[in-house]
Amino acid sequence: MAAPTYSAQPGDKDKKSDKGGGGATPNYGISGYARLTSNFLDRGISYSNNGFAMNATVLVNLGSQFKLGFWGSNISKLGNDDDNLWLKYVAEVFVDFQSNSKFVFYVHDDHFYKTQNRNGIRYGFRLDYSRFSGLLEWQNNYEGTGSSAYYARVKLNTKFSERTGYELGAGYTMEYSQVYANYIDLLATGYYNAFPNSRIEAGMTLPSNTSQFGDRSKPGYFLGFQLNY
């Protein structure tokens, strides 16, 4: 599931909520998180008009290698669309190689309300290995243009202690529309695990093209609090 990073989406790593069902028999255990952030940034651009947002996800374990559920967040001023809610239906299939490594295949069915102009499907692969994470994703309706796009990202998580550390990441968006250009996004996050099931974080993102999405793609800063369950 999505990394407790700037985007807090299901495609990223979350140590707490990545726990599997345990065994071949479904146990229907529920995992997920709720997160409040001062700026909902995803892949270098803001989805909350540089304002506060709440992200939340709920996944149900259906056996040891399959999860099904949803993710949602409030959004604001995405181009000309008057959308205020982004909802994903999520399916994940994962394989644990070791205690610190995992391969995940996921499908996201995106729905945007109220216009639904940005609805689409995403398919992705993620590999977590020790402190490193890599992701490759395809989607069929990039930023509501009706064209496809690929996204690749690598991240490094370094701990100072059991409670503190930082994450560094770099992503690349390659899309096929006539509206936007390909771009790189950089991420730096510092975090503090105040309690076993919570996290406080602060960070920034920087896209290589700071004008094509208007104010949404200027250098972004955020403070966040996340509660895992």
Side-chain angles (χ1 to χ4, degrees), residues 9-10 40 47 54-59 69-75 78 83-90 107-114 116 118-122:
Q9 290 201 40
F40 175 24
Y47 280 76
M54 174 69 79
N55 315 138
T57 188
V58 175
L59 295 181
F70 65 89
W71 171 94
S73 179
N74 63 293
I75 54 177
L78 306 186
D83 290 325
N84 51 38
L85 175 65
W86 181 1
L87 181 65
K88 292 177 179 282
Y89 298 100
V90 179
V107 179
H108 293 175
D109 185 8
D110 287 326
H111 292 267
F112 291 79
Y113 300 97
K114 46 195 172 179
Q116 303 192 46
R118 296 168 178 264
N119 291 5
I121 297 292
R122 305 181 185 218

Side-chain angles (χ1 to χ4, degrees), residues 43-45 142 171 173 175 179-186 206-219:
R43 303 174 187 190
I45 60 177
Y142 178 71
T173 298
E175 49 81 34
V179 181
Y180 302 111
N182 302 340
Y183 72 97
I184 298 170
D185 65 275
L186 304 177
L206 176 65
S208 61
N209 189 324
T210 59
S211 61
Q212 66 176 346
F213 297 103
D215 287 342
R216 296 176 58 207
S217 56
K218 64 183 182 181

Side-chain angles (χ1 to χ4, degrees), residues 10-26:
D12 299 326
K13 183 179 180 182
D14 183 332
K15 183 177 180 181
K16 173 77 174 179
S17 54
D18 262 355
K19 292 182 180 179
T25 302

